[in-house]
């Protein structure tokens, strides 16, 4: 997309605590935004005077007193399922209101492109039903730009989506012809600026995929400078071999790996981040590996009786057969119906649920690990979404930095900005740096806090004061969305046509 020149006044953010996204401690200073870019990051009063004089003489300079506030790069939500939401609900308030300025869609093997259908099957139906209209990544990118979402959108191509399009029988691995068809779609997506490939071999629709199939597609992403993000095959008892498989797939394909929403799920598995994190560290000595994490002990996905063990709490977030059960616990429903929890789950399907399958010490070990970055994994189409959709980023700041003191502020911000842009090859974002795109958040470090809960999942966060996307003031704490909707489809830094 070409640079849009405009005659808006410049914006000078004055006297805030600058935490620039690189992971270094904050310092007091001023940030100048001109058009869609950051023009200067300077000590207080040290913004180049000639630059300010020229701006004052032309479009003017609006000053924003940021005393007591943190000025940071806009947050990058590396793990989202906002593919359709960015088009259907383009204000993107659940994300913008957290200070998020870029979302990465297409995670867990699930992407809109290149599937065209009016009856998407699970797990693609996590993206809703209306937007499976894009047979190429290019068409999806055009649809995003036409929708003018409130935040930027960068995209992974989903392996499960490719299987649904090209593999005749999902209970087996792709044959040679099917692999070639999937690889051709992968090339198209990379040409259109996709970040790389995602997979969700955890889901039964992709479970039969073998190493040959995954490498055939992933190596196309590798040749084009992409990344590989995966929801591994098993986050329960078989987590160690599943991590090994993910690392092997990335290594054989020649791709950097991102392990999605790293967790040790299920009571038998609690505490095992003491094993998984050392394994990830060991693997990361031989290849590039990162991971994402959300700050909650509950996960959320489609309703599946095999994830119901009768021990953990399961909160029904939506049911097509019994919509009235949304917001209730499976144990209570099962008792009322006088059936087992598994049987109740079968009766409630298709639906979605939150599974309280993690333990806090594991979550803390992953969040504080130097290889982790923050991704919400929010599900925007659920009637009663997991609160991570509206609250993940402020919750990390409130709970893991300010209250528990487990992260330094600059570390927490780095995991939401600079590290995220570097791992996913997003150029000119994720840092407060002159010439970078002006994606910026100003927040109150004493007040920032998530508002969303499992009972009240659609609540604004507190303390997110102002958010700029591509230089446009897009959110304020007092007026919420400004209507600017200045987001766009963001191409990976190495793509042939990337600009801005
Ligand atoms: Zn996932």
């Amino acid at each position: 997309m070409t640079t849009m020149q405009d005659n808006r006044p410049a914006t000078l953010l004055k006297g805030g605590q600058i935490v620039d996204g690189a992971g270094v401690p904050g310092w007091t200073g001023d940030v100048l935004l001109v058009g869609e870019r950051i023009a200067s990051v300077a000590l207080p009063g040290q913004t180049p005077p000639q630059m300010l004089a020229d701006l004052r003489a032309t479009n003017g300079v609006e000053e924003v007193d940021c005393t007591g506030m943190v000025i940071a790069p806009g947050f990058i939500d590396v793990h989202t399922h906002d593919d359709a939401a960015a088009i259907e609900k383009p204000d993107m308030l659940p994300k913008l209101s957290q200070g998020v300025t870029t979302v990465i869609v297409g995670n867990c093997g699930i992407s809109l492109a290149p599937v065209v259908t009016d009856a998407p099957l699970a797990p693609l139906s996590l993206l809703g039903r209306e937007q499976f209209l894009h047979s190429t990544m290019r068409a999806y990118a055009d649809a995003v730009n036409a929708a003018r979402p409130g935040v930027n959108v960068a995209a992974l191509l989903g392996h499960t989506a490719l299987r649904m399009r090209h593999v005749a029988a999902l209970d087996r691995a792709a044959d040679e012809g099917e692999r070639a068809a999937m690889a051709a779609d992968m090339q198209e997506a990379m040409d259109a600026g996709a970040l790389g490939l995602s997979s969700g071999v955890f889901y039964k629709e992709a479970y039969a995929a073998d190493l040959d199939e995954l490498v055939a597609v992933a190596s196309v992403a590798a040749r084009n400078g992409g990344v590989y993000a995966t929801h591994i095959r098993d986050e329960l008892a078989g987590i160690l071999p599943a991590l090994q498989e993910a690392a092997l797939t990335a290594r054989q394909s020649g791709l950097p790996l991102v392990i999605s929403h790293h967790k040790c799920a299920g009571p038998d598995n609690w505490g095992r981040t003491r094993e998984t994190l050392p394994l990830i560290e060991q693997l990361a000595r031989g290849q590039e590996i990162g991971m994402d994490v959300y700050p909650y002990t509950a996960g959320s996905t489609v309703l599946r009786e095999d994830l119901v063990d009768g021990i953990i709490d399961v909160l029904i977030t939506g049911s097509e057969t019994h919509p009235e059960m949304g917001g209730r616990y499976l144990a209570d429903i099962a008792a009322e119906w006088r059936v087992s929890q598994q049987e109740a789950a079968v009766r409630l399907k298709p639906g979605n649920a939150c599974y309280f399958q993690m333990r806090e010490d594991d979550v803390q070990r992953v969040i504080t690990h130097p290889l982790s970055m923050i991704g919400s994994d929010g599900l925007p189409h659920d009637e009663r979404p997991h609160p991570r959709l509206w609250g993940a980023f402020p919750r990390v700041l409130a709970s893991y930095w300010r209250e528990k003191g487990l992260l330094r502020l600059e570390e927490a911000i780095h995991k939401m900005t600079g590290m995220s842009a570097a791992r996913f090859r997003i150029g000119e974002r994720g840092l407060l740096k002159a010439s970078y795109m002006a994606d910026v958040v100003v927040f109150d470090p004493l007040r920032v806090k998530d508002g969303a809960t499992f009972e009240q999942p659609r609540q604004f966060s507190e303390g997110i004061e102002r958010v700029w996307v591509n230089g446009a003031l897009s959110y304020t704490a007092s007026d919420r969305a400004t209507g600017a909707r200045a987001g766009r489809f963001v191409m990976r830094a190495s793509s042939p046509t990337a600009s801005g």
Side-chain angles (χ1 to χ4, degrees):
M1 180 175 283
T2 50
T3 300
M4 184 183 66
Q5 253 333 324
D6 54 45
N7 45 19
R8 282 174 298 177
T11 305
L12 182 62
L13 309 177
K14 289 180 68 176
Q17 185 190 358
I18 294 176
V19 181
D20 71 359
V24 297
W27 46 282
T28 303
D30 300 344
V31 178
L32 179 66
L33 315 181
V34 179
E36 59 183 14
R37 290 184 185 263
I38 297 169
S40 161
V41 181
L43 290 169
Q46 302 288 303
T47 302
Q50 192 59 52
M51 188 185 278
L52 277 178
D54 291 348
L55 289 165
R56 287 202 172 99
T58 50
N59 299 326
V61 177
E62 272 177 10
E63 300 194 353
V64 180
D65 179 6
C66 293
T67 308
M69 298 289 149
V70 169
I71 309 173
F75 304 145
I76 298 173
D77 188 349
V78 298
H79 194 112
T80 86
H81 297 288
D82 289 332
D83 309 52
I87 297 168
E88 289 174 336
K89 305 173 191 168
D91 65 28
M92 291 298 284
L93 257 182
K95 296 300 166 70
L96 201 49
S97 61
Q98 298 181 57
V100 170
T101 55
T102 299
V103 297
I104 297 178
V105 305
N107 273 282
C108 297
I110 301 164
S111 60
L112 279 187
V115 178
V116 177
T117 178
D118 52 14
L121 301 173
L124 297 193
S125 52
L126 280 178
L127 304 181
R129 298 183 181 279
E130 312 298 323
Q131 289 297 324
F132 286 89
L133 308 167
H134 316 290
S135 62
T136 61
M137 184 59 77
R138 177 88 54 197
Y140 174 68
D142 289 346
V144 167
N145 285 329
R148 295 176 43 240
V151 300
N152 298 307
V153 176
L156 296 159
L157 187 68
H159 165 255
T160 302
L162 293 178
R163 275 180 76 79
M164 295 240 176
R165 186 175 192 204
H166 293 297
V167 179
L170 294 174
D171 59 355
R172 60 162 174 79
D175 64 27
E176 206 181 323
E178 290 162 345
R179 289 202 296 264
M182 293 162 82
D185 278 355
M186 186 76 242
Q187 184 62 55
E188 188 283 328
M190 297 309 285
D191 290 342
L195 302 179
L197 178 70
S198 80
S199 78
V201 285
F202 158 83
Y203 291 100
K204 77 170 193 296
E205 292 76 9
Y207 196 82
D210 59 11
L211 193 63
D212 285 347
E213 173 180 334
L214 290 164
V215 170
V217 185
S219 52
V220 177
R223 280 201 297 277
N224 291 271
V227 300
Y228 175 55
T230 181
H231 181 161
I232 59 174
R233 200 175 288 280
D234 190 341
E235 294 176 325
L236 291 122
I239 190 164
L240 296 180
L243 287 168
Q244 296 275 16
E245 179 196 18
L248 180 63
T249 305
R251 211 158 55 232
Q252 287 217 348
S253 313
L255 280 166
L257 172 66
V258 176
I259 298 157
S260 293
H261 43 57
H262 183 50
K263 66 170 85 71
C264 287
D268 292 343
N269 228 13
W270 286 345
R272 289 190 69 205
T273 49
R274 288 198 192 87
E275 297 169 59
T276 61
L277 292 172
L279 172 62
I280 291 167
E281 286 163 21
Q282 182 204 324
L283 292 164
R285 284 196 273 277
Q287 62 191 113
E288 185 183 335
I289 302 186
M291 57 190 149
D292 62 73
V293 60
Y294 49 81
Y296 298 86
T297 54
S300 184
T301 187
V302 288
L303 188 52
R304 266 173 51 168
E305 63 273 24
D306 64 317
L307 298 177
V308 173
D309 63 5
I311 303 169
I312 62 166
D313 285 334
V314 178
L315 178 67
I316 303 302
T317 55
S319 161
E320 286 184 26
T321 55
H322 296 275
E324 74 281 5
M325 294 301 179
R328 295 191 59 193
Y329 283 91
L330 186 62
D332 298 336
I333 300 168
E336 208 167 286
W337 289 350
R338 298 170 189 277
V339 298
S340 69
Q341 290 193 37
Q342 279 90 352
E343 173 59 24
V346 171
R347 293 186 191 180
L348 290 161
K349 285 203 305 185
N352 298 300
C354 292
Y355 302 88
F356 290 78
Q357 58 187 359
M358 285 166 266
R359 205 169 65 184
E360 178 63 24
D361 61 315
D362 285 316
V363 174
Q364 290 183 3
R365 267 183 224 111
V366 179
I367 284 185
T368 56
H369 194 277
L371 294 178
S372 73
M373 54 202 152
I374 307 304
S376 70
D377 201 10
L379 297 173
H381 300 276
D382 280 5
E383 268 168 65
R384 300 179 51 85
H386 186 303
R388 64 195 183 184
L389 178 68
W390 283 81
F393 285 76
R395 184 176 174 86
V396 169
L397 294 170
S399 181
Y400 294 88
W401 166 58
R402 194 179 56 225
E403 289 163 19
K404 298 190 175 98
L406 294 169
L407 291 170
R408 285 173 282 120
L409 180 58
E410 61 270 23
E411 267 182 306
I413 302 283
H414 182 55
K415 287 172 178 288
M416 302 173 175
T417 58
M419 192 197 307
S420 320
R423 288 239 181 269
F424 280 94
R425 279 47 176 177
I426 295 172
E428 301 188 306
R429 300 180 195 272
L431 298 176
L432 291 181
K433 194 171 162 180
S435 87
Y436 268 42
M437 299 303 289
D439 292 346
V440 181
V441 56
V442 170
F443 67 87
D444 182 340
L446 301 178
R447 288 180 48 243
V448 65
K449 190 174 177 26
D450 52 312
T453 62
F454 287 94
E455 293 72 37
Q456 304 262 3
R458 296 174 193 276
Q459 299 292 318
F460 285 100
S461 298
E462 285 174 45
I464 302 293
E465 298 300 322
R466 293 177 193 235
V467 183
W468 287 263
V469 177
N470 295 317
L473 181 63
S474 298
Y475 178 86
T476 68
S478 50
D479 298 329
R480 309 302 187 190
T482 64
R485 284 172 46 196
R488 64 183 65 149
F489 186 84
V490 169
M491 298 181 182
R492 92 182 166 284
S494 65
S495 62
T497 41
S499 76

